[in-house]
Every structure is written in structure tokens, then in C-alpha cells.
Amino acid sequence: MIKNVSIIGLGKLGASMAACLASRGFNVIGVDLSQKAVDALNAGRTPVQETGLTELISNNKERIRATLSHDDAILQSDLSFVIVPTPSDAHGAFSLQYAAYAFEAIGKALAKRAGYHTVVLTSTVLPGSTRYGLLPILEKYSGKKCGKDFGLCYSPEFIALGTVIRDYLNPDFYLIGEFDERSGAALESVNSQVALNHAPSKRMSIENAELAKISLNSYVTLKISFANILADLCERIPGGDVDLVSDAIGMDQRIGRRYLTGGFGYGGPCFPRDNVALNFVGKHLGASTQLLEMNDSYNRTISPRFVEKLKPYLRDGSTVAVLGLAYKPLSHVIEESAGMYLCLTLSAGGFRVIGFDPLATEEARAALRMHALVADTIPSCLQDAECILVTTPDDVFRALKPEDFIGNKESVTVIDFWRCLPESVRHHPAIRYVPMGRCIDDATAISKLDGLWHRDQH
Ligand SMILES: NC(=O)c1ccc[n+]([C@@H]2O[C@H](COP(=O)([O-])OP(=O)(O)OC[C@H]3O[C@@H](n4cnc5c(N)ncnc54)[C@H](O)[C@@H]3O)[C@@H](O)[C@H]2O)c1
């Protein structure tokens, strides 16, 4: 039974996987090109920020070590997970530059290794990348044959930043793209010792697994956009309330309630780019993927559309506070964040913008310099704001009291993108509370809806 594994790439996903595998009794060797990451792990510290990771590393440090040497790791382990970056290129495809470099180093190490070793690519890649882009590198530098001397799988994880450890240890299923039966069996035996929940495996060809990974994320983005369309519709229907509609249709087993809460656009390091990549592959192969392209453009234009909706609440040059700059709560990641795009759009529209985020202060400040201020505290963010936008349903914002919003002002407008603020804020006389996704002007909505039935008279 495999007990020694390597993790190649100790970033946002790899560092948590290393700690999780060690917590389940594996001896883990982490490899990174960054001396800082290697030193951190060897000192029992976390190289990246992730919920619960500090404790997990510190509680299992006797089974984790890190090195700069791929040789060291491959020679001392029977299975390696490769989790290096695969950044998007200008066409929306994923670059294999880092993965190719890692596979070259692994190939050179395999050349020196006696006995079978299984290489598992976990990074997100496009269909065809593993077999046609990377396997030739492994065979070239090892001088060995896949299937005979070593095994190969493509097996991505379905985790979300902020809950990586929980998601990794309790997966809905394992997706295993296998070069052959032996490679898949090696990985399945490791997985069966990791999951806390007896998750089933879906084993298939490498190419089907590559497609399944980006399809899953792309499908979720469609669902999010659909929920955002519903929210927009509900604002225009008398008494409209997107949560009631989503709760109802989410009861249907064909749909399900998750990711169906109309709010704001999707963002982060995976969703937008996986959707774009699936469209890229489809176009290249001649499939009709316009729906994916439209979804991406719908999501990318969500900030300007919201700014249009906000205009009735803003004066020229108003000070606007944006609470929530990371792409979701409990994250410091601002990549493709709808809140960040909103700040930039408002600033370009001539408004004075000041943002706050519980975790992403430094990242947001660097990215927004010249466009918007980023406050260190909520009171300093809200102090001068006539209009306050709550763009993520963060518990820190849910806990705010009416006085926090009002401060020394006579009145304030609060726009709640996720309808997450408490009753006390919703009904305070000095707060004009605007929940997105609900109708707040029944009279106009009635006249428009009524007009639908009297089109001939107009
Ligand atoms: N972050 C996520 O939420 C997430 C979720 C699912 C899938 N993924 C995929 O996982 C992959 C990694 O993502 P991440 O967010 O962990 O990236 P990251 O940038 O946080 O970490 C990557 C790490 O790999 C290291 N590295 C690069 N080349 C290396 C090499 N040759 N040898 C050893 N180490 C090397 C880097 O120094 C870095 O520490 C990507 O393909 C990503 O799409 C990420």
C-alpha cells in the first residue's frame, strides 16, 4: 500500500493537499521552486493563507518535509501529485509552461529511479494536455515508457479557496483520468485512505477527465449567471423576490439550490477562466459553444450594469463605500473579483470610491491605487460615504449595526447585493435600504407588467 507521496507545487492548493495527506497518515515530501515555501513548510509554518492550514501543518509536521529537489521527492515516494500553475494565455487556453518544466524535472528523476512510480497531474489543463503535451516530456527525460515503467493520471480536485481542507477531505467524488488500469488503481488506493466520506471514484480516459473538470466549473458559472438573470427579473416584477423563486426551483432535484442565489458576478482564479477555456477548446474543435461565450460576456458586463442601477442613488462625485473586495467571503483573493471591477467602474464614472475587505486589504490597495482608496477599518471606510454597497455576504458585514452605517450622517443609502443585512438595518428610518434582487418600486413594476397585456393599445 502506498504510504510515501510527493506534492510538486506548494501553492494555494498544493500546500493544503500536503497537510491533508499527512493528516491521513501519509509521509509527504513537498517540492517547490520557492525557497520561502520550502522553508516555511520545513519550519512547520504555512506557505499560503488557507482556513485551518496552520493547525493542520503544525499537528502533522513529523510527516511533512519540503525540498527544492524533484529528484529527492520522486526517489523517496511512490506517487506524486503535480499542482503547479497553468495560467491562461491571451487566447483563453492554459499555458503548460510550468507543468512542462515540472514534468522535465520529474522525468529526469524517474530516469534514476528503480521501480514503478505514478505521476498524477492535478493542475487544471485543457483536453489533450496530459497525453499530448506532457507525457512526451516524461518519456523523453526518463528514457522510460508510460504504462510499463511508470503510471500517469489526470486527477483534478474540486475545492474552493477558504474551504480547501474541508473540500479535499470530503469530496463529492474523485475524478480519475487514467493512462491505464494500474495508474488509476494506484491513485484510487491513495484516495481511499484520504477521504473521510467514502467518496466514489469516476474513472475514465485522461481526455474525458480533462473535459469533465473544466465543464463542471463552466456549468456552475452558467447556474450563477442564471440566478443573476432571475434577480434582475425579480427587481422588475411587483413584489418580486429572487430568494423565493430560487428556493422554489432549487427544490427540484434536476436543479438544486446551490449557486442559485442571485447576487453578483462570479470571479476568482477558476470559474471565469475555466468557462473561457471550454469555449476556446470548443471553437478550436468546431463545436458550437456560443452559450459559454455569452455567459462570459454577461458576467464581465455585470459591474457596468450595476452602476447604471445605482445611478438613482448617487450624486455626481458622491463618496461610495464598497464593502467586499475579494471575490468571495473568507478569501484574500481579488483575481477577477466583481467587487474590484465595481470599484474601477465607479471610479471611472467620477465617483469617489473607498473600499474595505476583511482579508484582502493589501492586495486590493495595490490593485486599486490611482483609482480608489482601501480603508484599514470599517468605520474609516464608511465615515464619509453617502452610499454603501455590500458586495459579499461576509459575516463581518452581516453583523454591522445601523449606527455603523449611519455614523455622524443624517441618512445613508445601503445597497445589499446579497440581501444579507439584518432587519435592524433594513428598517432603520435613517437608512434607505435597497436589496438587489427584490422589487422596491411596485408602482413602476405594475405599470410595466400591465403594459405587457395591453400592447395593442400602445
Ligand atoms: N486555487 C484554486 O482554487 C484551484 C482550484 C482547483 C484547481 N486549481 C489548479 O491548481 C493549479 C495550481 O493552482 P494554485 O492556486 O495552487 O497555484 P499557486 O500559484 O498558488 O501555486 C503553485 C505553486 O507551484 C510552484 N511551482 C511552479 N513550478 C514548479 C515546479 N516546476 N516545481 C515545483 N513547484 C513549482 C510555485 O512556486 C507555487 O508555489 C492550477 O492549475 C489551478 O488552476 C487551483
Side-chain angles (χ1 to χ4, degrees):
M1 191 176 282
I2 293 175
K3 275 290 162 204
N4 301 319
V5 297
S6 307
I7 299 283
I8 318 287
L10 300 169
K12 293 187 282 298
L13 179 51
S16 293
M17 279 176 67
C20 288
L21 284 157
S23 77
R24 304 293 289 144
F26 288 92
N27 301 310
V28 181
I29 308 171
V31 185
D32 206 288
L33 303 177
S34 151
Q35 183 77 55
K36 238 170 115 186
V38 168
D39 288 347
L41 209 54
N42 281 333
R45 286 183 281 108
T46 170
V48 294
Q49 188 180 321
E50 181 54 44
T51 314
L53 187 54
T54 305
E55 300 75 34
L56 204 63
I57 290 176
S58 132
N59 292 343
N60 295 283
K61 59 175 187 249
E62 67 280 9
R63 280 185 298 282
I64 311 177
R65 73 177 175 88
T67 171
L68 294 168
S69 161
H70 295 75
D71 276 9
D72 180 9
I74 301 297
L75 294 178
Q76 301 297 324
S77 62
D78 299 310
L79 185 141
S80 308
F81 292 97
V82 183
I83 316 147
V84 297
T86 48
S88 300
D89 67 18
H91 307 287
F94 298 154
S95 160
L96 290 182
Q97 184 191 344
Y98 294 92
Y101 185 71
F103 271 56
E104 181 181 324
I106 295 168
K108 287 176 181 165
L110 286 175
K112 297 173 200 155
R113 200 196 137 94
Y116 189 83
H117 182 98
T118 304
V119 179
V120 179
L121 180 65
T122 300
S123 301
T124 309
V125 294
L126 297 183
S129 307
T130 311
R131 190 186 305 271
Y132 304 105
L134 297 170
L135 174 55
I137 299 175
L138 273 187
E139 293 194 326
K140 175 178 167 192
Y141 286 95
S142 65
K144 295 184 172 178
K145 282 306 283 172
C146 189
K148 178 169 153 288
D149 306 308
F150 64 88
L152 180 65
C153 290
Y154 172 70
S155 182
E157 296 298 334
F158 300 96
I159 53 86
L161 294 179
T163 53
V164 177
I165 293 170
R166 188 195 67 196
D167 298 348
Y168 182 71
L169 293 174
N170 300 279
D172 287 343
F173 71 110
Y174 283 110
L175 178 59
I176 300 181
E178 57 195 34
F179 180 85
D180 56 8
E181 167 18 73
R182 186 177 178 190
S183 308
L187 176 56
E188 194 168 31
S189 83
V190 170
N191 289 344
S192 67
Q193 299 170 67
V194 176
L196 297 171
N197 62 349
H198 305 293
S201 293
K202 283 285 174 197
R203 289 173 64 173
M204 58 193 71
S205 73
I206 287 177
E207 290 71 25
N208 277 320
E210 288 169 328
L211 181 60
K213 164 64 182 173
I214 51 173
S215 314
L216 190 146
N217 279 353
S218 182
Y219 183 82
V220 174
T221 66
L222 285 168
K223 202 171 173 189
I224 294 169
S225 291
F226 190 83
N228 288 336
I229 291 172
L230 282 182
D232 196 18
L233 272 166
C234 285
E235 288 164 18
R236 298 158 201 274
I237 284 182
D241 182 336
V242 69
D243 297 316
L244 293 177
V245 177
S246 294
D247 283 348
I249 66 174
M251 297 287 284
D252 189 309
Q253 288 186 16
R254 290 170 298 178
I255 295 177
R257 183 62 175 83
R258 293 187 68 194
Y259 291 97
L260 203 60
T261 300
F264 209 2
Y266 58 82
C270 295
F271 280 166
R273 82 186 197 112
D274 287 3
N275 186 58
V276 168
L278 190 59
N279 179 44
F280 169 83
V281 174
K283 269 188 162 170
H284 180 75
L285 298 177
S288 298
T289 50
Q290 296 92 326
L291 178 62
L292 309 178
E293 203 166 329
M294 285 187 69
N295 183 26
D296 185 59
S297 100
Y298 175 79
N299 191 59
R300 278 184 199 285
T301 51
I302 211 160
S303 292
R305 285 201 305 275
F306 267 111
V307 170
E308 279 307 307
K309 283 187 190 182
L310 296 175
K311 281 199 172 146
Y313 308 106
L314 302 172
R315 289 182 301 109
D316 280 354
S318 289
T319 297
V320 184
V322 177
L323 295 180
L325 304 173
Y327 79 101
K328 63 174 187 176
L330 295 177
S331 175
H332 62 100
V333 177
I334 55 164
E335 208 174 326
E336 301 274 2
S337 151
M340 290 290 288
Y341 285 132
L342 188 63
C343 288
L344 292 170
T345 316
L346 285 164
S347 159
F351 301 103
R352 180 173 175 261
V353 183
I354 176 157
F356 173 82
D357 191 277
L359 295 177
T361 311
E362 281 171 34
E363 293 84 347
R365 191 170 282 152
L368 289 174
R369 70 185 184 286
M370 321 287 289
H371 301 284
L373 295 169
V374 176
D376 286 316
T377 62
I378 293 182
S380 59
C381 178
L382 303 189
Q383 195 175 328
D384 298 327
E386 298 151 50
C387 183
I388 298 159
L389 317 179
V390 181
T391 64
T392 55
D394 197 302
D395 281 349
V396 174
F397 307 146
R398 288 175 196 269
L400 290 173
K401 300 192 169 55
E403 312 79 75
D404 298 320
F405 290 102
I406 301 163
N408 295 326
K409 293 159 281 190
E410 275 183 18
S411 66
V412 68
T413 299
V414 177
I415 318 266
D416 185 355
F417 281 62
W418 296 90
R419 305 159 301 282
C420 64
L421 297 176
E423 292 288 317
S424 57
V425 172
R426 295 173 188 214
H427 301 302
H428 196 283
I431 295 179
R432 176 157 62 159
Y433 175 75
V434 182
M436 289 295 176
R438 282 191 198 142
C439 183
I440 54 161
D441 180 359
D442 277 351
T444 305
I446 288 169
S447 86
K448 285 215 168 166
L449 195 61
D450 186 56
L452 188 64
W453 308 107
H454 303 100
R455 277 172 298 166
D456 297 344
Q457 293 163 21
H458 292 293

